[in-house]
Amino acid sequence: MATVGSKAPPQSLSFSFSVSQPLKTLTPKSQSLRFSRRKHSPLRLSINASVSAPPPAAAATATSSDYRVEILSESLPFIQKFRGKTIVVKYGGAAMTSPELKDSVVRDLVLLACVGLRPILVHGGGPDINRYLKQLNIPAEFRDGLRVTDAATMEIVSMVLVGKVNKNLVSLINAAGATAVGLSGHDGRLLTARPVPNSAQLGFVGEVSRVDPSVLRPLVDYGHIPVIASVAADEFGQAYNINADTVAGELAAALGAEKLILLTDVAGILENKDDPSSLVKEIDIKGVKKMIEDGKVAGGMIPKVRCCMRSLAQGVRTASIIDGRRQHSLLHEIMSDEGAGTMITG
């Protein structure tokens, strides 16, 4: 041992490493340090490092992060294509009744708005209307897929769609980080209704006679998401219940939308209605008309297809009927080549 005033004998340090993996993965827990002085030998510092592979959780996290970054990178062409473009989405079916699917639609809309698209949401609310009619002992009656709407039913339809469903959707979108504004066809004379031709049998069921989108433009320009209930009044103030698909199609046409998207409870247009694997990914108006003539498009799909064809004829670039039962179907439709249903072109 060195004493005060004496010169300590020269010492030397040597390092020895035993590493089973590259040092860049060295972690504190995997290191072992051992100090030893051997008789008549210099002081040695022996460092034995035993490094194992990263734990599975860390590897999974890295893989997950890489995957997310890759997906974002691959989304760039689609974001560039649709940035600044108006997208009208009709929201209905299972996506309205399942909390998980509702959350999926809301998150998709907010994400699309965040990356520069201009989404507009149009909704109905059949299940909620039926529930309130049942509570009030008012029978629900349908003819040719349309709700028979007498004065009492029309009052319930307005209360449920405008007062409940619309405001619930607005709250969910706001909570998810965007700014939504709830409207109906009444507001700002957005829609003017007229009775359907067979109104004697259907009551206050209407169709769109005129669209004035001027109330929507400043909202969309400021980055807000309009949420529109499918009720409107005629020129005399009488309220009408209007099919939400019809409202979405007419709004898309009036706004010159890039895309109309109808969320449904089917995969899309099927070549064989009994075979879900026969999905038609893309088709033009001529092809759709041929499928209707051949009976391959029938039942409730016919009004949806005709709604799409009408909007395309008025300048909408593409119209899609997509599977609303699929999580994040909106993102699949807009941000991928695969899509989530059938796209119809002009």
Side-chain angles (χ1 to χ4, degrees):
M1 178 179 294
T3 59
V4 176
S6 65
K7 187 175 181 180
Q11 306 288 325
S12 65
L13 296 177
S14 65
F15 299 86
S16 65
F17 295 87
S18 174
V19 182
S20 59
Q21 295 292 332
L23 281 175
K24 64 181 179 181
T25 60
L26 192 66
T27 59
K29 290 184 179 180
S30 65
Q31 300 173 8
S32 63
L33 304 181
R34 185 175 71 253
F35 295 86
S36 65
R37 177 188 291 273
R38 297 181 182 176
K39 190 175 181 180
H40 307 301
S41 65
L43 177 68
R44 296 190 60 185
L45 172 62
S46 176
I47 304 178
N48 295 319
S50 176
V51 181
S52 58
T61 299
T63 302
S64 176
S65 298
D66 292 343
Y67 182 70
R68 285 197 298 269
V69 170
E70 183 179 352
I71 292 300
L72 286 172
S73 177
E74 291 178 355
S75 299
L76 178 61
F78 300 100
I79 294 173
Q80 291 172 324
K81 177 181 179 180
F82 291 108
R83 183 175 175 82
K85 302 295 178 60
T86 299
I87 308 292
V88 178
V89 178
K90 183 267 179 172
Y91 175 51
M96 293 194 76
T97 57
S98 163
E100 293 79 15
L101 292 175
K102 181 181 288 189
D103 179 69
S104 169
V105 171
V106 167
R107 290 170 65 86
D108 287 1
L109 284 170
V110 173
L111 190 151
L112 292 174
C114 286
V115 298
L117 280 72
R118 297 152 67 99
I120 295 173
L121 188 67
V122 177
H123 69 86
D128 283 299
I129 294 171
N130 290 339
R131 185 166 63 253
Y132 278 89
L133 288 174
K134 184 177 181 180
Q135 291 176 2
L136 296 170
N137 294 317
I138 300 175
E141 183 181 353
F142 293 85
R143 291 183 185 173
D144 300 324
L146 297 174
R147 183 186 300 277
V148 176
T149 308
D150 58 14
T153 302
M154 187 65 235
E155 187 174 1
I156 300 302
V157 168
S158 292
M159 288 194 300
V160 172
L161 294 188
V162 180
K164 181 180 183 295
V165 177
N166 187 271
K167 301 313 170 191
N168 175 254
L169 289 171
V170 168
S171 296
L172 290 174
I173 293 170
N174 289 343
T179 302
V181 178
L183 300 168
S184 72
H186 296 273
D187 297 297
R189 296 179 181 175
L190 175 59
L191 304 173
T192 301
R194 64 182 173 220
V196 293
N198 56 337
S199 59
Q201 290 77 39
L202 293 173
F204 297 109
V205 175
E207 57 188 20
V208 177
S209 66
R210 187 169 62 250
V211 180
D212 182 358
S214 57
V215 70
L216 294 181
R217 298 192 189 281
L219 297 175
V220 174
D221 289 343
Y222 277 108
H224 300 334
I225 300 177
V227 181
I228 301 166
S230 57
V231 294
D234 64 14
E235 294 178 348
F236 305 102
Q238 172 61 53
Y240 284 88
N241 180 22
I242 306 177
N243 179 273
D245 291 336
T246 301
V247 170
E250 295 300 319
L251 278 173
L255 291 163
E258 177 74 13
K259 197 168 185 64
L260 167 67
I261 301 176
L262 307 182
L263 287 167
T264 67
D265 287 342
V266 295
I269 298 176
L270 303 178
E271 182 69 30
N272 178 355
K273 65 180 186 298
D274 298 321
D275 181 8
S277 67
S278 65
L279 176 67
V280 177
K281 288 285 189 178
E282 184 172 347
I283 192 170
D284 59 15
I285 291 179
K286 182 179 178 180
V288 168
K289 288 180 177 178
K290 181 69 165 55
M291 291 187 73
I292 293 175
E293 293 171 0
D294 294 342
K296 294 180 178 179
V297 173
M301 186 59 73
I302 290 179
K304 294 182 183 298
V305 167
R306 285 179 174 164
C307 166
C308 292
M309 291 192 296
R310 179 174 169 82
S311 66
L312 292 168
Q314 297 180 80
V316 176
R317 292 289 298 276
T318 64
S320 297
I321 300 173
I322 70 172
D323 192 348
R325 301 166 301 177
R326 180 181 180 183
Q327 287 260 353
H328 300 295
S329 55
L330 280 178
L331 291 186
H332 281 289
E333 177 61 26
I334 295 173
M335 297 293 186
S336 74
D337 288 319
E338 176 191 357
T342 301
M343 183 172 73
I344 306 173
T345 59

